[in-house]
């Protein structure tokens, strides 16, 4: 089976994604930025940085310029500078939901999960319908080991945006770890229905079916995972165990 055409690397985490994905399969970031940067051409981040620095020389308290500079630094890989710019924008205007969210994203990239959660919560206070902010909070809580809270945040993400399939996938993972197999199956079934080429979702659905004693269904899902990813040794081992 042919591999899906790739849309390019996620601007946040660098993982390649298929053209039909709206959100990164790894970090959940919206993929529209990939097309935007392709259209604007190389050097866009550098031009944005230079323009924002020019604006700030004229007006050091321009919150939008600090925010834009933070975005430029983030895409240039200067995460520490990005954090400082977003924090400065928020010192000037704390009611800037985009700056809180991008600060959360930058903290997440740095591995500062408590700070990511705090910035995400503030972004949600300002914009309760922001599914990316709910998702970022959920990821931070997951990495902090607060699984029940993470499950609630992933559920809220999907409530706000039912098309946010990656949140449903991660909710399945959390439910799996909480031994909520029926809940995990519900999530992974939804994911494979939305994206039949998601090998990882087929694998986890197969595992959940296996743990529920649904061996025929488990074998089907594990076989599908292997068809999509022939190098998946874990799926191969689980399938071989069921075939004995």
């Amino acid at each position: 089976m042919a591999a899906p055409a790739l849309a390019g690397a996620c601007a946040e985490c660098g993982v390649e994604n298929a053209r039909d994905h709206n959100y990164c399969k790894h970090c959940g970031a919206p993929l529209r930025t990939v097309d935007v940067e392709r259209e604007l051409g190389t050097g866009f981040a550098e031009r944005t940085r230079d323009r924002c620095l020019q604006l700030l020389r004229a007006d050091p308290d321009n919150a939008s310029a600090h925010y834009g500079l933070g975005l430029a630094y983030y895409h240039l890989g200067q995460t520490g500078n990005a954090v400082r710019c977003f924090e400065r924008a928020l010192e000037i205007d704390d009611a800037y939901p985009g700056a809180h969210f991008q600060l959360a994203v930058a903290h997440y990239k740095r591995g500062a999960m408590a700070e990511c959660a705090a910035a995400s919560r503030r972004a949600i206070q300002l914009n309760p319908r922001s599914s990316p902010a709910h998702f970022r909070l959920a990821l931070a809580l997951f990495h902090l080991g607060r699984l029940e809270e993470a499950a609630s945040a992933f559920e809220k993400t999907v409530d706000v945006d039912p098309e946010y399939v990656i949140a449903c996938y991660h909710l399945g993972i959390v439910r799996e770890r909480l031994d909520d197999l029926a809940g995990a199956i519900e999530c992974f079934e939804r994911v494979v229905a939305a994206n039949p080429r998601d090998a990882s979702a087929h694998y986890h659905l197969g595992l959940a079916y296996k743990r529920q004693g649904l061996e025929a269904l488990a074998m089907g899902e594990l076989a599908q995972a292997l068809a999509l990813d022939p190098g998946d040794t874990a799926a191969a081992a689980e399938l071989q165990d069921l075939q004995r």
Side-chain angles (χ1 to χ4, degrees), residues 165-174 187-188 191 198 200-201 204:
V165 178
I166 187 64
C168 194
Y169 171 84
H170 283 283
L171 177 57
I173 296 295
V174 172
C187 289
F188 295 128
V191 174
D198 190 327
S200 181
H204 284 282

Side-chain angles (χ1 to χ4, degrees), residues 110-150:
R110 294 172 60 237
M113 296 303 161
E115 291 84 353
C116 174
S120 298
R121 290 188 193 279
R122 179 60 177 143
I124 291 166
Q125 286 178 346
L126 294 168
N127 182 8
R129 302 293 298 173
S130 172
S131 53
H134 285 288
F135 181 72
R136 192 64 52 173
L137 172 61
L139 287 176
L141 292 170
F142 175 80
H143 288 294
L144 288 168
R146 294 154 62 177
L147 297 185
E148 295 283 359
E149 292 176 74

Side-chain angles (χ1 to χ4, degrees), residues 3-9 15-21 25 34-35 38:
L6 294 176
V15 170
E16 297 285 347
N17 288 268
R19 291 190 185 279
D20 59 351
H21 288 186
K25 64 185 179 183
V34 174
D35 292 329
R38 183 183 297 119

Side-chain angles (χ1 to χ4, degrees), residues 8-225:
C10 170
E12 289 193 13
C13 70
V15 170
E16 297 285 347
N17 288 268
R19 291 190 185 279
D20 59 351
H21 288 186
N22 292 320
Y23 299 96
C24 176
K25 64 185 179 183
H26 176 69
C27 73
L31 292 174
R32 292 186 301 274
T33 52
V34 174
D35 292 329
V36 169
E37 291 197 352
R38 183 183 297 119
E39 291 171 6
L40 292 170
T42 57
F44 174 62
E46 290 87 347
R47 292 195 300 274
T48 300
R49 175 199 59 200
D50 295 344
R51 175 58 177 157
C52 289
L53 287 171
Q54 182 182 27
L55 290 170
L56 289 169
R57 282 193 289 271
D59 179 9
D61 292 329
N62 186 330
S64 294
H66 283 289
Y67 173 73
L69 184 58
L71 289 176
Y73 280 138
Y74 182 87
H75 288 289
L76 288 169
Q78 300 178 32
T79 312
N81 283 339
V83 167
R84 285 186 284 277
C85 289
F86 295 137
E87 288 177 338
R88 178 60 184 138
L90 292 168
E91 288 174 2
I92 298 166
D93 180 8
D94 184 60
Y96 200 142
H100 284 289
F101 173 69
Q102 293 298 337
L103 178 59
V105 171
H107 279 314
Y108 184 84
K109 191 168 187 176
R110 294 172 60 237
M113 296 303 161
E115 291 84 353
C116 174
S120 298
R121 290 188 193 279
R122 179 60 177 143
I124 291 166
Q125 286 178 346
L126 294 168
N127 182 8
R129 302 293 298 173
S130 172
S131 53
H134 285 288
F135 181 72
R136 192 64 52 173
L137 172 61
L139 287 176
L141 292 170
F142 175 80
H143 288 294
L144 288 168
R146 294 154 62 177
L147 297 185
E148 295 283 359
E149 292 176 74
S152 295
F154 283 128
E155 288 168 358
K156 183 62 177 178
T157 307
V158 178
D159 287 343
V160 171
D161 182 1
E163 300 300 315
Y164 218 128
V165 178
I166 187 64
C168 194
Y169 171 84
H170 283 283
L171 177 57
I173 296 295
V174 172
R175 287 176 172 174
E176 184 181 75
R177 294 194 182 187
L178 292 171
D179 291 323
D180 177 8
L181 295 181
I185 287 171
E186 178 186 357
C187 289
F188 295 128
E189 285 180 340
R190 184 170 174 180
V191 174
V192 298
N195 183 10
R197 295 189 58 79
D198 190 327
S200 181
H202 284 289
Y203 169 72
H204 284 282
L205 181 55
L207 284 185
Y209 281 148
K210 182 182 177 185
R211 290 175 64 187
Q212 288 283 68
L214 304 170
E215 294 190 358
L217 291 174
M219 290 174 68
E221 292 300 324
L222 293 167
Q224 184 64 17

